[in-house]
Amino acid sequence: MKTLHTDIAIIGAGTAGLAAYRAAKAAGKRALLIEGGPYGTTCARVGCMPSKLLIAAAEAAHSAAHTDAFGVRVNGKISVDGAAVMDRVKRERDRFVGFVLEGVENIPAEDKLRGYARFESDTVLHVDEHTEVQAASIVIATGSRPSVPPPFRALGDRLVVNDEVFAWNDLPRRVAVFGPGVIGLELGQALARLGVTVRVFGVSGSLAGISDPQVRQAARKIFQGEFYLDPDARVLETTRVGDEVEVRYVALDNSERTERFDYALVATGRRANLDGLGLEHTSLALNAQGVPVFDRETMQAGDSAIFIAGDANADAPLLHEAADEGRIAGENAARYPDVRPGLRRAPLAVVFSDPQIAVAGKGHARLIPGTYVIGEVDFGDQGRSRVMLKNRGLLHVYADIETGRFLGAEMVGPSAEHIGHLLAWAVQQELTVARMLEMPFYHPVIEEGLRTALRDAAAKLALAREALRPEATEDEVV
């Protein structure tokens, strides 16, 4: 076994690992990128990009089939060529992966090491059986993988996770989707719009990361109007019968049903790729899920020279978060032990369903009761949305009663990916609702709906502050 010495060893060459490598090199340090699997990020291979390609095809099919309301007649039946759909998904996916691979190829050969790393101590790694790496500091950026609950495993090759959907050569006829989170909702709706018979089952009523009860209920009604969705399903039995999956469940009308599907798409969450790393040989404290306890401002695990970034820390499994965390981890690994908090941007999450879902800043679940007001707009009668027949959804904005600061928002509705960005920027700039209302709003645009919600919040802030005035009498408040 040969021995290599480096300033920083980075385990994993995905989004977080590459960001950590660039930060370490920018700091003038020697850095070694260790990867045992295929190069190419989760986003490019099996996440963001291929899923959006499938969604784009689904939106094209849906739009073509829903022109009558505009007085536009499309003669003949709209047909979906599943093989052609999947061919484009894979071709374009491979193109995006190629860009990532090109970047990795440009990294000097001496900075890359192929193989799976395992800790021997806090600063010593064994890579497969061929190399010992001794490093001053180490970044764990091993990513994550789909988590499959044990009851589903008996389904064999009739069980698929989102990673495997993009290997299909054609679209199946029937798919049962378990888990209406971001992945399940996006893929479930896309498949339904492409002509696949879809049933989406969830537990506990959760839906695509929405924590605001009213926004979640609005989203539930919208999606249930398009395809079968039960976020609080009672699935009685799931078994394999030949080359099919049989699901026995209690339907929304409380009747018991049994249906068969070509596949069960299990989208019930992801787990960090930490098994096999030999964390038991380190000084790290682990939480109940086996993830090292770390500081999300510095990415440092305990007081050690080990840093953990991206999906591996199971904190915020989003590409932009992984990139930021990788950068912070790389910078602090380079300056260790002089560890400093890095720039954490305002939280932003988007679901590319139709209508889209966005959570910016603090979501409803993170708010302190009694300290905030909610501004609201229902997109049902919002001008620009109605013009485009996109008038479905609800936006809630949250504002701090004491300071008037905008805290965050949750929404389901048109252009949520764009409105979410505006709101995340407002949170990061610490704007008040009053200051946001001073910004320009063109007419007619969907953003006028945001202005309506902000005006509602401003009015409620005024009432809340008046109610809190010590000298206010009951009559004055009324």
Side-chain angles (χ1 to χ4, degrees):
M1 181 176 289
K2 68 178 180 179
T3 301
L4 292 178
H5 297 268
T6 188
D7 295 321
I8 303 165
I10 300 159
I11 310 173
T15 298
L18 290 170
Y21 171 80
R22 289 190 292 267
K25 297 297 285 187
K29 298 293 185 177
R30 292 174 299 166
L32 183 65
L33 201 58
I34 305 169
E35 176 60 76
Y39 287 126
T41 64
T42 295
C43 172
R45 284 191 178 277
V46 294
C48 326
M49 303 316 294
S51 66
K52 303 313 169 283
L53 286 161
L54 191 69
I55 290 168
E59 289 177 346
H62 184 77
S63 297
H66 292 81
T67 62
D68 280 5
F70 295 100
V72 178
R73 308 288 183 246
V74 176
N75 295 323
K77 181 182 178 181
I78 303 299
S79 64
V80 174
D81 184 338
V85 167
M86 295 311 300
D87 179 65
R88 178 176 187 265
V89 168
K90 289 190 283 189
R91 279 190 290 107
E92 289 297 308
R93 181 271 313 275
D94 291 346
R95 180 171 172 269
F96 289 120
V97 171
F99 294 143
V100 178
L101 296 180
E102 184 178 324
V104 174
E105 287 171 2
N106 290 331
I107 294 174
E110 61 269 23
D111 288 356
K112 294 180 289 190
L113 180 62
R114 297 293 291 172
Y116 291 94
R118 179 179 176 83
F119 281 94
E120 294 299 316
S121 71
D122 281 10
T123 56
V124 177
L125 301 170
H126 281 181
V127 180
D128 289 343
E129 300 301 323
H130 56 71
T131 307
E132 178 175 283
V133 177
Q134 298 182 8
S137 56
I138 295 174
V139 176
I140 300 173
T142 47
S144 66
R145 64 183 184 275
S147 176
V148 178
F152 289 108
R153 294 173 188 166
L155 300 179
D157 63 1
R158 297 296 94 188
L159 179 153
V160 294
V161 294
N162 66 291
D163 298 27
E164 296 161 331
V165 166
F166 309 114
W168 285 342
N169 292 321
D170 202 346
L171 294 171
R173 292 177 301 152
R174 302 157 301 170
V175 174
V177 179
F178 294 92
V182 175
I183 294 170
L185 182 62
E186 286 185 348
L187 293 182
Q189 184 182 43
L191 291 172
R193 288 186 166 188
L194 289 167
V196 179
T197 298
V198 170
R199 304 284 184 266
V200 181
F201 304 103
V203 294
S204 304
S206 61
L207 181 60
I210 305 171
S211 67
D212 188 307
Q214 292 183 36
V215 177
R216 184 171 58 237
Q217 182 61 18
R220 179 173 180 160
K221 288 182 178 179
I222 290 169
F223 296 120
Q224 284 178 333
E226 185 177 335
F227 57 93
Y228 187 92
L229 166 66
D230 187 355
D232 194 16
R234 284 186 289 165
V235 177
L236 305 176
E237 189 177 24
T238 304
T239 56
R240 177 167 180 163
V241 180
D243 285 335
E244 295 180 311
V245 174
E246 186 172 274
V247 180
R248 187 164 62 89
Y249 65 98
V250 178
L252 291 167
D253 61 5
N254 286 321
S255 65
E256 185 175 315
R257 297 185 187 177
T258 300
E259 290 188 87
R260 290 189 180 182
F261 302 88
D262 298 311
Y263 292 102
L265 170 55
V266 178
T268 51
R270 298 181 69 85
R271 60 178 297 181
N273 290 327
L274 297 173
D275 40 337
L277 276 182
L279 294 177
E280 66 275 13
H281 298 145
T282 70
S283 65
L284 303 184
L286 308 181
N287 64 19
Q289 289 72 45
V291 177
V293 178
F294 74 103
D295 183 334
R296 72 183 310 272
E297 301 302 321
T298 65
M299 315 315 299
Q300 183 182 23
D303 295 322
S304 73
I306 301 172
F307 302 80
I308 184 166
D311 288 11
N313 63 36
D315 180 47
L318 298 165
L319 179 138
H320 65 281
E321 295 281 5
D324 283 350
E325 290 181 359
R327 172 183 46 78
I328 295 169
E331 290 171 348
N332 277 325
R335 65 166 63 101
Y336 177 81
D338 181 21
V339 175
R340 306 171 193 172
L343 171 64
R344 294 303 302 249
R345 304 173 211 252
L348 173 62
V350 176
V351 183
F352 290 86
S353 52
D354 181 21
Q356 294 178 337
I357 294 166
V359 179
K362 283 188 177 180
H364 186 270
R366 296 179 55 206
L367 300 172
I368 301 173
T371 66
Y372 65 94
V373 298
I374 300 177
E376 176 180 300
V377 64
D378 186 322
F379 284 98
D381 286 323
Q382 201 276 321
R384 173 69 169 167
S385 302
R386 193 170 183 86
V387 165
M388 299 185 298
L389 290 180
K390 296 287 187 181
N391 52 318
R392 301 180 299 164
L394 180 68
L395 166 64
H396 276 183
V397 297
Y398 315 119
D400 183 75
I401 292 174
E402 183 177 353
T403 64
R405 271 185 54 185
F406 171 67
L407 300 174
E410 294 194 23
M411 75 172 288
V412 55
S415 296
E417 62 179 294
H418 305 300
I419 292 175
H421 275 82
L422 293 177
L423 295 178
W425 295 350
V427 168
Q428 189 155 321
Q429 292 176 331
E430 301 183 351
L431 298 182
T432 63
V433 168
R435 186 75 182 96
M436 292 169 72
L437 283 168
E438 294 174 0
M439 301 299 174
F441 290 85
Y442 200 74
H443 174 76
V445 294
I446 291 173
E447 284 76 8
E448 288 179 302
L450 169 58
R451 182 175 62 186
T452 299
L454 291 171
R455 284 174 171 171
D456 186 36
K460 290 174 179 175
L461 282 172
L463 287 174
R465 288 170 176 171
E466 184 67 18
L468 291 173
R469 278 199 304 124
E471 67 275 16
T473 67
E474 184 176 339
D475 289 340
E476 288 176 328
V477 173
V478 173

